[in-house]
Structure formats: structure tokens, C-alpha cells
């Protein structure tokens, strides 16, 4: 349990050094500043002669951004660092913010027999922030290089990062020559201090005096999407201790018992302790029986149980598979991959969606056998499996190139079943500058929250047009959720712009930029996302004022550029249409067009055209009809005698209402000389009949009468 004196100290520290108005769980901050989506950049280090590699795993292949030369050297010139798993923290955009690693100050060239050990913390620019634990003894004793560090951003204020570490009890209290029980310490780092270089608020204070196993802790997000669960295991027992990390330094402790009892055995080292990205499974190996148990975790309560437990089986000479030394989860948390050496170097895939342990075991698949590997002691022990931000799983390899070297094996598609997961040998070379006798045990992947690898919440939307009569904007989450809340950012709605639907719609009455925010319960955890969406005005159409057309004049109606579709009342689908006086009869004509612009927004326009015949025009007086329409007026059937030009081409015949609306259309084959139109269904009115032949258009006024 936490000491009261330390809590009092923390309250004083946070009251003086941490801003009083911390971000709260609200529309503007929930799941944003404190929602670390994934770990893009991780510090790696290889051997003792070239420092550490800074890798980025957010691209298709790992990228070596920087080789960091360690400046901590002792009097004999040895680089003073351990091979422990480093702590690392990146912000929500994947930018490296902090990493920490054990260092040693003794002259001994053998790290795990050194006693003067501390922790060096660096910022994202690889500058040293400070060295922690200088006054503590036993921060790293024998086999200390197995002890991981872990960084936890303060919920609600990610500029503050807790750094957790384990320190051993005095050897005189425990007769354990290897891996003695640990107590927990923590430090608090302010990333914004010293003009952004970072600073230490408090250094290695006692966090818990529980007797913990040195390698057992893991981090995942709380179901509320804001807080964190830091989980560890009591030494040589079935008891798990879960710490609920909350804003402003508040911590609650949850204890539970599950799985099989862990009994200390100096010849076996517990090295697996990790969460699935969705936080529902906790992998913990039991060295006494050489198996790995997959326990159930409730991210709402912090309780670990074995109600639906799975076991990666122990080694079996008959079946030819060995101890599950290391495991990794697929990014979608469906599969668990186990590296099981001893008899060979097999990698197995186990399916967590199977209904029970028997199916889990029977449906396992050998996805790879690393053919170039020698199953030596070092290879068996030190092949860490690591799920990276690019969705792949990596492990270290002693690369089979001339001169040897260090590289990474990979599982390219770990969300895919069986051989489709694509396991590959030595898919990425870190360095080839190592001799064959070197041991690759210094390749250690970092500790971080597995839930940062979980696919972040996202939503899609369609129809982004404002105004009455336009379709509403439709929203949908891109993954399955079981609970949801939306805020559509329409401040003029006075709070009426929210929804609890999974697929809501919202009508925006005005164009502009809107901050849409959504949160959802997905795969056992709350997450949230905000986006700025642009709502566009209706498409603009200007056909001009109503006008008069006379005699042989023509008029071009232009619906405007930048539209992707046009739909005229005449049936045309072009940007412009041309009206010819020679094809009109005196009267009023209404022309209407509907357009769709590049944003998918529609708009309409209309114009009234009045045609007045110019009786003084010689051409008009001499004009003779080129086709015959009779009888006119008509009652039932209307007959059309086509001109001679119909002998060589097809024509189109259209019937319009008095308002200019297209009522019916006919395609007239070539060589047609006479065609009959059935007018019996139409009411008494004046209609327009239009004939198009090639580049000529003729229009005739039709009078329809219905006798009583």
C-alpha cells in the first residue's frame, strides 16, 4: 500500500509545481492530450561498442533515425549501461518525449555484477534530463538487466510523466541468489521544465513496499480511456496488485488472486508479463511448470481472474515444442504468438477467439521455424517478441550474414490467421559490425502501455452540405462499439446537437467549420476523437434575370462552372443550353436546372423566358414549317410528318408542359416518315413538341383539348 507520508508529500509537490487548473475529462480534452494513441519512436541499443539505436516503428519498415552514443563511460572506457528494458514515452502524435535506462558507474566490465547502478533519463532530443536513484543502494544487482523500467503519463496532464522502477531488498533479508523480491519506487518528470529540456519534480520515492517479482509489471489504459492500470505480481504467489493511476497523483490499489501459484526456482526466470492491446488478456509465465497463462483482466475494476483462462502449453519432447519463453499479441488482440525453443526454433500462433482451452490448443499453428538459427542457450532465452506501432511483431536475431551481426525477425501481418501472418527471418538488419562470438542479449524492446497499440477510435462522415432540403450529414464509427456519445459542434443548437446513436445524422443549417467530438466504448475501453469538419453552402447557380427573346434571336443559359453534373428541365445534361427564337412560339417558358458541385452539394436555378414574335422580320414572314403536326388542336392522337432529313439519321422527340417540364421522350429511328403520339392521358392545355435532328432543333406549340 502507499505510505501516508508519501501521499502528503505528493499533495504538497503537486500543489506547488503542477498547474492548479488541470485538464479535465471534457469535450475539449478527453482522449486528446492524454490519449497516447501509439508508440512511434522507441530507443533501442545494441552491444557496448556503438551506443543505442533510436528506431521509428510507425512506417512500413523500422527506421534508424539516430545512433545515440552513450556519454556515461567509466575509467576503463566501458560504456556504462545495462541491458534492462528501457522506459519510453511518446506523445499522441508519436513524437518521442522521454526514455530512461539503467546505467552503472563501477569499473567492472560485467554489468550484472555491478552494484553502483542508477537510471539516466533523457528527453526526446536525447539530452540528459537527470540521473535518478543515485542515493539508493541495490537499484541494480545480480541479473538486474532483466528489470524493466516503465513510464506512465499523468492522466489529464501528459507533460508530467511518472517513472516507475524496482529496487531489491537487502540480500540479508532474503536467501535468494537470483531475482530477489523487489519494492517499488517512482519519480515524477516535468517535460516542460527548463525551457522544454525537462526536469525532475521528485526522485525515486517509495511507491509500495509489497514484495514483488522483479520482471512482473505491465501497463494498460483504464476503461474510462483516461487513467492507467499498472499491474505487478507478488513474489512467489498467486496475488496480483493493480494500481489505478489517476489525475494529480491519486492512486488506488486493487488486489486479486488468479492462475497457478508461482514458486521460486533459481534456474528459471519469469520474463513474460504483458497485456493484450485491448486490455482483456494478461500473459504471465510460470517458470516452475514451463507454461504461460493468459489471465482475464477487467479494465473497469482492475481485477485479474482466471474464469476464462488459456494456457500456452509447457514443453513436450513428444510434440517437439518447447517453453513459451516469449509471447506477443496481435494488434487486434485476437492472436497470441509464442516463441517456443529448445527442440527447434518454432513460432506458434494461438487463437484467443476459440471457445475454450481445448480448441485454443488444438487449433494452434506453427507459422515459422527459424531455419538460420542455432538453438543455443542465448537464442532460446533472449528472443523478445515485440508488437510495434506499424502493426507488425518483431524479435531479435543473431543474423546469419557473413561476420554475423544483429537484426530483427518479423511477423508482417499478425492480425491474419495461420501462414497468412507471414513470419520472416532477418527482415531488418540493425548492424553487421559484430563478431560471431558476440551475444545479442542487449537488444531489449521497451516497456509501454499495450493499449497505445490499440487501433484508435475513428469515425467517417458523408454529405457535408448546409441548408434546408439537403441531405443531413451522416456519421459512423469505423470500428464496432457498444456505447457511444456524439457532439456535433453546432453552438447555435443550444445543446441540441448531441446523439447516443451508433450511426447518427445531423442537419447543419449554416455552412462553416464544426468541431465534432465523439467517444465510444470499444473493446472494453472508452476512447474519443475530435475532428473539424467543413460544411459547405449549397451549390450556386445564376441563370440571370427573366428575359425576353424575339424573332430570330438566340439565348444561351449557363449554369456555371465547377459543377460535376447538370440536370435541365429540357432533359439536357450539359453546362449550357441554347434557345433559338426560330424554334419558339409566342408565350412564356420556364427553364429549370439542378446542379451538383465538387463537394457533393446541390443547387437549383430557374429563369422565365418570354418569346415575342417579330412580325416585321422578313425571315419570320417567309418561314415555313419543315415538319407537319396534325391535327392541331388534337384530342387523342397527334401525328407527326417528319422532314426529308430524317431519311439519313436518328431524331429525338420531346413533349414539354406549358411550364417547360419534360413529360415524355421518344427516340425516332432513321427513315421514319410518320410517327403518332398518344395524347389521350394529358389534360387540356398548350404543350410544346420539340424535334432534334442532328444540329437542328424545332419546336411546335400543341393544343390539347378534351371534349365533354
Amino acid at each position: 500500500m502507499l505510505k501516508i507520508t508519501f501521499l502528503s508529500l505528493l499533495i504538497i509537490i503537486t500543489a506547488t509545481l503542477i498547474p492548479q487548473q488541470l485538464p479535465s475529462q471534457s469535450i475539449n480534452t478527453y482522449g486528446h492530450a492524454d490519449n497516447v494513441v501509439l508508440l512511434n519512436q522507441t530507443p533501442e541499443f545494441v552491444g557496448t561498442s556503438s551506443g543505442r539505436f533510436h528506431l521509428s516503428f510507425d512506417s512500413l519498415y523500422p527506421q534508424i533515425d539516430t545512433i545515440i552514443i552513450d556519454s556515461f563511460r567509466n575509467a576503463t572506457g566501458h560504456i556504462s549501461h545495462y541491458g534492462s528494458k528501457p522506459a519510453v514515452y511518446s506523445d499522441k502524435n508519436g513524437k518521442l518525449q522521454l526514455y530512461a535506462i539503467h546505467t552503472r558507474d563501477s569499473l567492472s566490465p560485467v554489468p550484472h555484477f555491478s552494484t553502483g547502478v542508477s537510471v539516466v533519463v533523457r528527453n526526446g532530443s536525447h539530452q540528459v534530463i537527470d540521473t535518478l536513484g543515485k542515493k539508493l543502494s541495490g537499484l541494480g544487482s545480480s541479473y538486474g538487466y532483466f528489470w524493466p523500467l516503465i513510464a506512465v503519463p499523468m492522466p489529464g496532464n501528459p507533460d508530467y510523466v511518472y517513472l516507475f522502477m524496482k529496487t531489491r531488498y537487502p540480500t540479508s533479508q532474503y536467501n535468494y541468489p537470483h531475482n530477489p523480491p523487489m519494492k517499488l519506487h517512482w519519480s515524477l518528470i516535468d517535460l516542460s521544465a527548463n525551457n522544454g529540456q525537462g526536469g525532475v519534480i521528485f526522485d525515486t520515492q517509495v511507491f509500495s513496499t509489497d514484495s514483488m517479482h522483479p520482471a512482473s509489471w505491465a501497463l494498460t489504459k483504464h476503461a474510462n480511456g483516461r487513467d492507467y492500470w499498472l499491474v505487478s505480481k507478488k513474489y512467489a504467489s498467486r496475488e496480483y496488485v493493480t494500481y489505478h493511476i489517476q489525475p494529480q497523483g491519486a492512486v488506488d490499489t486493487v488486489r486479486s488472486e488468479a492462475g497457478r501459484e508461482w514458486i521460486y526456482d533459481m534456474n528459471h526466470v519469469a520474463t513474460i508479463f504483458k497485456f493484450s492491446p485491448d486490455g482483456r488478456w494478461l500473459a504471465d509465465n510460470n517458470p516452475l511448470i514451463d507454461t504461460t497463462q493468459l489471465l482475464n483482466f477487467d479494465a473497469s475494476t482492475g481485477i485479474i481472474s482466471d474464469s476464462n483462462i488459456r494456457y500456452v502449453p509447457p514443453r513436450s519432447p513428444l510434440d517437439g515444442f518447447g517453453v513459451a519463453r516469449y509471447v506477443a499479441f496481435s494488434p487486434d488482440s485476437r492472436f497470441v504468438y509464442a516463441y517456443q525453443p529448445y527442440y527447434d526454433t518454432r513460432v506458434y500462433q494461438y487463437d484467443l477467439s476459440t471457445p475454450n482451452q481445448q480448441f485454443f490448443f488444438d487449433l494452434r499453428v506453427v507459422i515459422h521455424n527459424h531455419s538460420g538459427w542455432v538453438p543455443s542457450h542465448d537464442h532460446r532465452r533472449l528472443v523478445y517478441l515485440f508488437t510495434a506501432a506499424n502493426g507488425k511483431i518483431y524479435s531479435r536475431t543473431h543474423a546469419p550474414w557473413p561476420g554475423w551481426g544483429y537484426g530483427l525477425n518479423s511477423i508482417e501481418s499478425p492480425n491474419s490467421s495461420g501462414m497468412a501472418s507471414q513470419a520472416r527471418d532477418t527482415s531488418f538488419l540493425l548492424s553487421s559490425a559484430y563478431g560471431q562470438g558476440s551475444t545479442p542479449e542487449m537488444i531489449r524492446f521497451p516497456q509501454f502501455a499495450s493499449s497505445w497499440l490499440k487501433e484508435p477510435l475513428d469515425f467517417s462522415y458523408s454529405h457535408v452540405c448546409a441548408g434546408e432540403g439537403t441531405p443531413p450529414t451522416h456519421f459512423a464509427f469505423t470500428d464496432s462499439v457498444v456505447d457511444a456519445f456524439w457532439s456535433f459542434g453546432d453552438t447555435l443548437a443550444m445543446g441540441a446537437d448531441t446523439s447516443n446513436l451508433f450511426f447518427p445524422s445531423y442537419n447543419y443549417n449554416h455552412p462553416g467549420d464544426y468541431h465534432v467530438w465523439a467517444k465510444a466504448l470499444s473493446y472494453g475501453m472508452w476512447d474519443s476523437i475530435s475532428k473539424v469538419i467543413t460544411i459547405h453552402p449549397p451549390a450556386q447557380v445564376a441563370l440571370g434575370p427573366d428575359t425576353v427573346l424575339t424573332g430570330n434571336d438566340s439565348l444561351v443559359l449557363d449554369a456555371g462552372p465547377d459543377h460535376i453534373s447538370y440536370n435541365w428541365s429540357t432533359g439536357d445534361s450539359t453546362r449550357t443550353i441554347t434557345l433559338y427564337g426560330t424554334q419558339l412560339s409566342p408565350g412564356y417558358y420556364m427553364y429549370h436546372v439542378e446542379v451538383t458541385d465538387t463537394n457533393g452539394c446541390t443547387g437549383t436555378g430557374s429563369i422565365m423566358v418570354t418569346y415575342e414574335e417579330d412580325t416585321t422580320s422578313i425571315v419570320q414572314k417567309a418561314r415555313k414549317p419543315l415538319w407537319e403536326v396534325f391535327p392541331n388542336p388534337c384530342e387523342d392522337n397527334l401525328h407527326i410528318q417528319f422532314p426529308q432529313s430524317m431519311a439519313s439519321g436518328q431524331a429525338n422527340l420531346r413533349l414539354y408542359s406549358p411550364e417547360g417540364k419534360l413529360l415524355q421522350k421518344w427516340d425516332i429511328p432513321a427513315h421514319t416518315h410518320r410517327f403518332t403520339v398518344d395524347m389521350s392521358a394529358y389534360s387540356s392545355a398548350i404543350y410544346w413538341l420539340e424535334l432534334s435532328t442532328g444540329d437542328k432543333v424545332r419546336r411546335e406549340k400543341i393544343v390539347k383539348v378534351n371534349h365533354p
Side-chain angles (χ1 to χ4, degrees), residues 16 23 29 36 95 150 156-157 327 387 390 413 426 517 541 598 691:
T16 56
T29 61
V36 183
K95 183 179 180 181
I150 197 163
N157 194 339
V327 301
T387 306
N390 60 6
S413 304
T426 54
W517 176 81
V541 183
T598 55
L691 178 66

Side-chain angles (χ1 to χ4, degrees), residues 514-534:
Y514 293 85
H515 292 261
V516 178
W517 176 81
K519 72 172 183 177
L521 183 61
S522 175
Y523 299 109
M525 292 184 185
W526 281 95
D527 197 2
S528 66
I529 184 174
S530 62
K531 290 184 181 181
V532 176
I533 70 172
T534 300

Side-chain angles (χ1 to χ4, degrees), residues 181-228:
M182 299 284 116
K183 56 185 174 182
L184 306 184
H185 283 76
W186 64 345
S187 304
L188 182 60
I189 313 298
D190 180 2
L191 297 175
S192 62
N194 299 321
N195 296 318
Q197 180 174 337
V200 177
I201 294 179
F202 62 79
D203 178 4
T204 51
Q205 302 291 330
V206 175
F207 179 79
S208 172
T209 58
D210 279 321
S211 176
M212 298 294 182
H213 187 279
S216 62
W217 62 12
L219 183 68
T220 191
K221 293 293 286 288
H222 190 284
N224 64 19
R226 180 197 64 185
D227 303 344
Y228 287 91

Side-chain angles (χ1 to χ4, degrees), residues 70-139:
D70 198 327
S71 60
F72 289 87
R73 295 177 180 269
N74 59 30
T76 63
H78 291 286
I79 295 176
S80 53
H81 66 242
Y82 271 130
S84 62
K85 295 180 181 178
V88 64
Y89 167 63
S90 299
D91 64 16
K92 68 184 180 69
N93 298 315
K95 183 179 180 181
L96 182 65
Q97 299 290 303
L98 172 147
Y99 62 100
I101 189 172
H102 286 105
T103 67
R104 62 181 173 85
D105 300 318
S106 102
L107 298 181
S108 170
V110 184
H112 60 266
F113 291 122
S114 171
T115 57
V117 177
S118 54
V119 172
V120 172
V121 183
R122 299 174 185 259
N123 60 24
S125 299
H126 312 299
Q127 299 170 309
V128 175
I129 296 176
D130 207 340
T131 302
L132 307 177
K134 295 184 290 291
K135 298 180 180 179
L136 295 178
S137 62
L139 187 57

